[in-house]
């Protein structure tokens, strides 16, 4: 029993104090804010948050949390009862974890490519692909969209809505086993797909930019079928990765 108590004491003493961890995170964020604004050491932390939030979407989004955590840090650092109560309180571990995630997202903002389905895993077709074969693969793997690639560049997309539009417009037409993707004509071209939109971003786009694209689309009552990441954000380029709304559903992302 005594051995277990001793082990507990050693373990507890070696664990980082969470109030000190909050101060450490605060200092790292403070250094980041000062670098962004090129402010001197006399500038208030809250002022720095306000200034950086004017041009930094991540800081703007987390502005209220950053202010709250700064106040919490001040309570620990300027503890009036330090002589007999150190620390004055112990912060919740989940709160510290959340503050750390915000710090990480500010100092090392995640790139869109970090969550994208990479190019080597993207199922694609070309204009000479057999249409029924492609549709069978889509159905088997629950693929909603298939990029159409010609000479290394995207020329369109094949999706359920494309097939529906084609059949609805060409009422006497049928899908035969010999049809090619090219037989769908211009229905596969991005600008002719009316039920959804597609966005293209450059390879250095941030994950926060992707969230912003989807949020703006929602406000406009639009549906983004897929976001394509290419070298320079041009649809004529080969996709490096793709992102759908499902890829943004992870609770682990702080953006």
């Amino acid at each position: 029993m005594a051995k277990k108590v001793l082990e507990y004491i050693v373990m507890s003493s070696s664990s980082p104090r969470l109030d000190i961890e909050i101060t450490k995170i605060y200092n790292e964020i403070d250094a980041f804010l000062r670098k962004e604004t090129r402010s001197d050491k006399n500038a208030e932390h809250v002022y720095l948050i306000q200034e950086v939030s004017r041009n930094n979407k991540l800081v703007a989004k987390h502005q209220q949390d950053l202010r709250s955590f700064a106040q919490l840090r001040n309570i620990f650092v300027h503890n009036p009862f330090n002589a007999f109560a150190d620390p004055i309180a112990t912060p919740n571990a989940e709160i510290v974890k959340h503050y750390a995630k915000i710090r990480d997202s500010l100092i090392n903002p995640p790139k869109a490519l970090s969550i994208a389905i990479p190019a080597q895993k993207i199922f694609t077709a070309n204009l000479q692909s057999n249409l029924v074969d492609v549709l069978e693969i889509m159905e088997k793997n629950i693929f909603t969209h298939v990029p159409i690639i010609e000479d290394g560049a995207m020329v369109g997309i094949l999706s359920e809505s494309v097939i529906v539009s084609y059949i609805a417009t060409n009422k006497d037409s049928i899908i035969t086993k010999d049809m090619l993707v090219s037989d769908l004509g211009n229905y596969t071209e991005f600008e002719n797909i009316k039920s959804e939109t597609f966005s293209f971003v450059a390879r250095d786009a941030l994950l926060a930019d992707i969230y912003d694209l989807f949020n703006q689309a929602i406000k406009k009552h639009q549906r983004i079928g897929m976001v394509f990441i290419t070298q320079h954000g041009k649809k004529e380029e080969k996709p490096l990765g793709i992102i759908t709304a499902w890829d943004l559903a992870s609770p682990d992302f702080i953006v």
Side-chain angles (χ1 to χ4, degrees):
M1 179 68 177
K3 182 179 179 181
K4 288 186 177 181
V5 172
L6 181 60
E7 288 176 351
Y8 174 78
I9 292 173
V10 172
M11 187 180 299
S12 299
S13 62
S14 63
S15 301
R17 273 179 38 179
L18 296 181
D19 61 309
I20 295 177
E21 187 65 18
I22 277 188
T23 300
K24 175 176 175 290
I25 296 169
Y26 169 96
N27 290 338
E28 290 170 339
I29 292 177
D30 189 75
F32 165 78
L33 296 173
R34 291 182 193 284
K35 183 178 179 181
E36 290 290 297
T37 57
R38 299 180 181 178
S39 298
D40 59 36
K41 63 180 181 179
N42 296 318
E44 294 287 339
H45 188 79
V46 173
Y47 166 79
L48 297 174
I49 294 172
Q50 180 179 326
E51 286 301 299
V52 178
S53 69
R54 299 181 192 277
N55 299 307
N56 187 307
K57 289 184 289 187
L58 288 175
V59 174
K61 179 177 180 179
H62 299 296
Q63 184 172 180
Q64 188 55 53
D65 282 351
L66 289 169
R67 288 171 177 266
S68 297
F69 283 123
Q71 292 176 341
L72 184 59
R73 171 265 182 188
N74 289 341
I75 292 174
F76 295 133
V77 172
H78 306 295
N79 178 9
F81 309 107
N82 191 59
F84 57 88
D86 182 29
I88 192 172
T90 300
N92 185 286
E94 289 303 312
I95 291 297
V96 179
K97 183 178 178 181
H98 181 70
Y99 196 21
K101 282 187 176 182
I102 293 177
R103 172 204 58 198
D104 294 343
S105 73
L106 297 181
I107 297 176
N108 296 300
K111 297 290 182 68
L113 269 174
S114 67
I115 71 159
I117 300 172
Q120 60 269 29
K121 291 186 178 182
I122 301 174
F123 173 63
T124 65
N126 58 56
L127 293 175
Q128 299 307 307
S129 297
N130 180 278
L131 179 58
V132 173
D133 288 346
V134 176
L135 293 177
E136 286 179 346
I137 293 174
M138 290 177 67
E139 193 277 332
K140 179 180 179 180
N141 295 279
I142 320 177
F143 293 150
T144 57
H145 301 79
V146 174
I148 302 171
I149 308 292
E150 284 292 320
D151 298 323
M154 277 189 295
V155 296
I157 196 87
L158 181 60
S159 67
E160 295 172 355
S161 61
V162 168
I163 299 299
V164 170
S165 295
Y166 174 80
I167 294 175
T169 305
N170 302 277
K171 295 180 174 56
D172 296 328
S173 65
I174 58 173
I175 302 295
T176 67
K177 65 179 182 179
D178 297 322
M179 283 185 69
L180 304 178
V181 171
S182 60
D183 292 329
L184 294 174
N186 60 9
Y187 287 91
T188 61
E189 296 176 4
F190 291 106
E191 55 270 22
N192 293 327
I193 302 174
K194 300 176 182 178
S195 61
E196 55 192 349
T197 61
F198 299 88
S199 296
F200 299 83
V201 299
R203 69 174 301 143
D204 60 350
L206 299 179
L207 184 53
D209 297 328
I210 307 303
Y211 273 94
D212 195 45
L213 281 175
F214 277 91
N215 288 332
Q216 291 302 318
I218 290 172
K219 291 178 182 178
K220 297 176 182 178
H221 304 288
Q222 296 176 339
R223 183 181 126 186
I224 295 181
M226 191 170 284
V227 175
F228 294 95
I229 303 173
T230 65
Q231 185 67 29
H232 303 99
K234 298 178 180 179
K235 67 179 181 181
E236 297 83 12
E237 298 174 315
K238 186 176 182 179
L240 303 175
I242 56 175
I243 296 176
T244 67
W246 290 106
D247 299 314
L248 303 178
S250 173
D252 294 329
F253 299 128
I254 292 273
V255 294

